[in-house]
Amino acid sequence: MQKIELMAPAGNFESLQAALDNGADSIYFGVEQLNMRARATINFTLEDLPEIVKRCEAKNVRTYLTLNTIIYDHDLSIVKTLIKQAKQANVTAVIAMDQAVIAVAREHNMEVHISTQINITNIETVKFYALFADTMVLSREVSLRQVKHITEQIEKEQIKGPSGRLVEIEIFGHGALCMAVSGKCYMSLHAHNSSANRGACKQNCRKKYTVIDQETGVEMELDNEYIMSPKDLCTIDFLDQVADAGIKVLKIEGRGRAPEYVAKVIKCYREAIDSIANDNYSKEQVISWMQELEKVYNRGFWSGYYLGQKLGEWSKGSGSHATQKKVYIGKGVHFYPKAKIGEFKIEAYDISIDDTILITGPTTGAKEFQLKEMLVNDEKLLKGTKGDSVTIPLDFRIRPSDKLYKIVENKVEA
């Protein structure tokens, strides 16, 4: 059984660094508008490509550029520019669904990965796309039994991509699921003229709806469920079965989520994948990992379609079901390298000894730890409040762009 490649999302440099620090094997990211998170508040730019690749190559981490939206004629010049720049920056591969993107990537001799939007569900489709691509993301709706059949047939029939290697299969392992078949949804387009397939989903499916009988006018709430808002996918509790299915890459969804989400999820799945490789994966570890995963953004968890259970486990409420949340405290001021001390200015809530704190930043990533020692305005105090200057011993460098939070319990409605 080959060891699974852990693929992490990166929507900005904070998340990128968090993924690198917590053991990701590969990173996927979008640049500007032609990706499935085009409306994210923060996106990488062309100028960021060399820095992204530099950080990843330093840790032997592969880089995947997402160009998996629907492409129109007026987009083609942008596609060509992006792929040319990606090749020059030494980006590992392009994730694509449109044949034009695939063709341009092949012209530049770039490795291609087929996006889930293609909906690959059988071995003959794998054979066809093997003419163009080395890695393929299967449709989200396949079961593990179907995944295993495909990976076995690839081995049996020696189906190889342009690189000459056997085609590698990738599946989604954790994160948000869409109500539509592998994300092909037109609800946002019809309601807001904002296309999900162009990376501009308004997520109006995540709202609560009432069904109205057109004949009688009777209104009905459907068991207080958000009937188009699936729970988040989680595979960590049956990851041994996922590994047995013969996949090469496990993709963690979440380019729109916070760096602490990326840090926590990648850390848990890194430990789980390593435990399977070391033959010590256990129920006790799974319980611990699930408790950690529940602390960051989630809509509740289910196993998706992989185990062949009944379809449609819907969220019971809007927003996150996370058991913890972060509260903004202040920002970084200065780092003293000889003493290894970080200075922060408290701008909002208080901070106390034994608080769990989180520091995030473009170079820092997401560092979470329990506060055991600090000085408040150069005095050894137990608590700092708004307006105070606090210094904290740190084993990593902070910068003025870094933000300081504390982690608190979050009351989640049942």
Side-chain angles (χ1 to χ4, degrees):
M1 186 187 297
Q2 62 182 350
K3 194 171 184 180
I4 296 172
E5 174 184 318
L6 179 57
M7 180 179 174
N12 53 38
F13 277 113
E14 285 91 338
S15 294
L16 171 68
Q17 195 60 47
L20 295 175
D21 290 342
N22 286 279
D25 296 308
S26 56
I27 304 289
Y28 69 101
F29 60 94
V31 171
E32 301 184 12
Q33 69 264 49
L34 295 181
N35 69 88
M36 294 304 284
R37 294 296 179 271
R39 282 193 179 272
T41 55
I42 300 174
N43 254 319
F44 290 114
T45 66
L46 271 176
E47 290 72 27
D48 293 326
L49 283 175
E51 177 65 17
I52 293 168
V53 173
K54 178 184 175 182
R55 291 198 198 185
C56 290
E57 285 185 342
K59 293 202 171 186
N60 197 31
V61 169
R62 290 163 63 86
T63 48
Y64 305 143
L65 172 65
T66 58
L67 274 171
N68 56 340
T69 60
I70 289 174
I71 302 296
Y72 295 122
D73 279 322
H74 66 263
D75 298 319
L76 291 175
S77 62
I78 302 173
V79 168
K80 292 174 182 178
T81 299
L82 283 174
I83 290 177
K84 180 181 178 181
Q85 294 287 335
K87 177 66 175 179
Q88 290 177 351
N90 206 30
V91 171
T92 307
V94 172
I95 302 173
M97 67 164 287
D98 192 289
Q99 284 73 22
V101 178
I102 295 170
V104 174
R106 297 298 302 136
E107 286 173 10
H108 285 80
N109 199 30
M110 282 203 75
E111 183 178 322
V112 173
H113 294 188
I114 298 298
S115 172
T116 190
Q117 274 78 18
I118 290 290
N119 294 127
I120 295 176
T121 56
N122 62 75
I123 193 64
E124 293 300 324
T125 306
V126 170
K127 288 181 186 177
F128 175 79
Y129 281 106
L131 297 171
F132 315 101
D134 290 292
T135 300
M136 302 179 197
V137 189
L138 296 186
S139 172
R140 298 185 195 185
E141 292 71 37
V142 293
S143 68
L144 284 183
R145 179 179 58 82
Q146 292 170 308
V147 174
K148 188 169 185 176
H149 175 74
I150 289 172
T151 60
E152 287 176 344
Q153 289 301 114
I154 290 171
E155 180 72 35
K156 181 179 179 180
E157 300 183 36
Q158 290 292 291
I159 302 170
K160 297 178 180 179
S163 67
R165 304 188 307 269
L166 289 179
V167 166
E168 298 174 346
I169 293 300
E170 174 187 324
I171 66 171
F172 280 77
H174 190 93
L177 282 174
C178 178
M179 68 162 185
V181 175
S182 281
K184 282 196 176 71
C185 181
Y186 298 91
M187 188 174 184
S188 179
L189 179 65
H190 292 162
H192 302 289
N193 196 30
S194 187
S195 174
N197 300 298
R198 295 273 289 170
C201 182
K202 292 285 190 179
Q203 295 202 351
N204 40 323
C205 58
R206 300 291 184 185
K207 299 177 181 178
K208 191 174 183 179
Y209 286 86
T210 301
V211 177
I212 301 176
D213 187 323
Q214 292 291 333
E215 291 185 6
T216 65
V218 173
E219 295 185 2
M220 178 175 60
E221 248 181 42
L222 296 183
D223 196 30
N224 197 33
E225 289 188 337
Y226 286 64
I227 59 171
M228 292 180 285
S229 181
K231 293 179 180 178
D232 282 4
L233 174 66
C234 180
T235 62
I236 206 163
D237 56 337
F238 58 95
L239 199 61
D240 53 342
Q241 297 178 58
V242 172
D244 184 61
I247 68 156
K248 170 62 177 177
V249 186
L250 189 76
K251 179 178 182 177
I252 306 300
E253 198 278 337
R255 276 185 292 147
R257 295 188 176 177
E260 65 270 17
Y261 171 90
V262 176
K264 185 79 70 178
V265 176
I266 294 302
K267 184 176 187 294
C268 288
Y269 277 86
R270 174 77 279 151
E271 291 175 1
I273 289 171
D274 290 348
S275 72
I276 291 170
N278 297 328
D279 201 27
N280 59 7
Y281 176 84
S282 67
K283 290 183 179 179
E284 291 74 23
Q285 288 176 303
V286 166
I287 292 170
S288 177
W289 292 322
M290 289 297 293
Q291 289 172 344
E292 289 299 301
L293 294 171
E294 287 169 353
K295 291 178 180 178
V296 290
Y297 193 104
N298 70 85
R299 298 183 179 93
F301 295 127
W302 74 302
S303 57
Y305 306 90
Y306 292 134
L307 301 181
Q309 298 169 346
K310 66 170 186 161
L311 306 185
E313 291 197 21
W314 310 110
S315 176
K316 293 287 186 180
S318 63
S320 178
H321 293 190
T323 59
Q324 293 183 343
K325 64 180 180 180
K326 64 181 181 184
V327 176
Y328 178 72
I329 300 297
K331 63 182 181 182
V333 175
H334 188 70
F335 182 74
Y336 301 91
K338 288 185 178 180
K340 293 187 176 180
I341 288 173
E343 180 182 354
F344 297 86
K345 183 72 172 181
I346 299 181
E347 297 182 328
Y349 295 96
D350 59 87
I351 185 173
S352 300
I353 295 296
D354 290 332
D355 281 345
T356 298
I357 64 173
L358 170 71
I359 300 172
T360 68
T363 308
T364 304
K367 300 288 197 300
E368 183 180 321
F369 58 94
Q370 191 172 27
L371 183 61
K372 290 297 185 182
E373 183 182 354
M374 71 173 172
L375 294 181
V376 180
N377 301 324
D378 295 327
E379 294 185 63
K380 196 168 185 178
L381 301 177
L382 298 179
K383 184 176 182 180
T385 58
K386 184 176 181 180
D388 288 339
S389 173
V390 299
T391 52
I392 302 170
L394 299 172
D395 59 2
F396 57 90
R397 177 183 292 272
I398 64 147
R399 291 158 181 82
S401 57
D402 287 3
K403 293 180 175 61
L404 173 66
Y405 303 89
K406 70 176 176 180
I407 304 297
V408 299
E409 295 304 306
N410 187 30
K411 292 183 180 180
V412 182
E413 293 184 10

